[in-house]
Amino acid sequence: MDRQLAQVSETHIGIVFLVGDRAYKLKKPVDLGFLDFSTRERRLEACRREVDLNRRLAPDVYLGIADVHDEHGNPCDHLVVMRRMPAQRRLSTLIAAGAPLGPEIRALARLLAAFHAGARRSAAITEQGGRDALSGRWEDSFEQVERVAGDVLPAGDLDRVRRLVRAFLAGRGPLLSGRQAHGRIVDGHGDLIAQDVFCLDDGPRVLDCLEFNDLLRWLDGLDDAAFLAMDLEHHGRPDLASAFLDAYAEFSGDPAPPSLRHHYVAYRAFVRTKVACLRHVQGEQTAHAEARAYTDLALAHLHAGAVRLVLVGGLPGTGKSTLAGRLADRLGAVLLSSDRVRKELAGLPPERHAAAAYRAGIYAPQHSARCYHELVHRAGELLALGESVVLDASWSRAADRDAAAKIAARTHSDLVELHCVAPPDVAAKRILARAGTGTSDADPAIAAAMAADAEPWPAAVTVPTTGSPDEAVATALAAIDAAPFALPVD
């Protein structure tokens, strides 16, 4: 009889034996607080949960449970029995080999979206997707990292993470409650990393869901997907991470704003920061660098996902609408224009001209006040839903700018104010060149009258527009990057 030698691997909670086409997982008799395998009965129950939960995504891999018997024939322990996966088809191995993975990533996104569509939902599960639950998980991680980080993280990094997180969550109540109301919170996988994904010819297999704590597995489906996106990026493949999240959004029909994607990726990266800090305390040499790398990743996504209100103002002909449109494209932001909103409120198509004398017709003070009020109101609703907003208007009155600043503060959004400028002769030529096209009704005489009435705008960054549009965009983006982020709730 041929005997096969088993390959053995060990973790802090279990041992895996690879024999032929089977894998056998034995749980160690440990009690770590967050999991308790200290008795045979507890280990048996853990085996049952592991098989049942993982069969949701890989039914042909998790074959069942086998008993281990002592010398008297009595069961003394238990094994999870699995179909052995080909190591060379592990997703992390394929990434390291530089394999082309476009189709595999789309197939994986399709599988996860279908899994989430049919996943269990309940009131208790939905509660875990709310702002309070998410904030609680972040705060737990902050406390644990602060306790053990020591000199692992650069000075100020933990504080920057904490400030950005708190500001985002403080202003995004409607976004997160909307996710709950639309059934986006599911009993998911909870621990989706490239190490546990196998890309087979007949489709992907996803193993090792988080079975020992239901609360950590009850999460927003996008949060579940973001875990793998974070891991792909950590493996040096941000292109695969973006492709995976794009495909997941396509297959799941998830309308989440980019800010929420970034937030969940940052959350998953910071969880890894916490784990790396704990390993560093235990003496693991590589954990120091890993903690910093994961923190850098979290900070990058928190900055990218900051919700912003950008005011792009200036007199007619200064190029503000051109800059506003280009900025909205670069930031993935919603663009709202005073010209369009003004005519919408007046019941006019945006392209219909409604020229009138200065401060007359639909440009009379009461109409302008109504237009700016509506602009700011719409911006506030979008900001609370996690959408960054670019507001294209003259912003020549300080009262209108103050109203915008208040809505940015109320939604804990970053406020950036940009003032486009161009010499009067250049602006006049632009106005005359566009006459009869677009949504603006201003002429050089109205522009001159507006210039005489415009109130100082000291808080704005001046953006000259006599150069190329790309130069103006670069100036504006630099101002956005340098702007202070929103203050968190105390």
Side-chain angles (χ1 to χ4, degrees), residues 23 55 117 134 179 366 378 398 419 436-437 444 462 467:
R55 277 179 172 171
L134 182 55
R179 304 284 296 178
Q366 67 271 24
R378 293 184 187 183
H419 187 193
T437 63
T462 299

Side-chain angles (χ1 to χ4, degrees), residues 281-294:
V281 170
Q282 294 166 355
E284 190 168 329
Q285 297 299 315
T286 60
H288 183 282
E290 279 197 16
R292 293 197 171 197
Y294 281 120

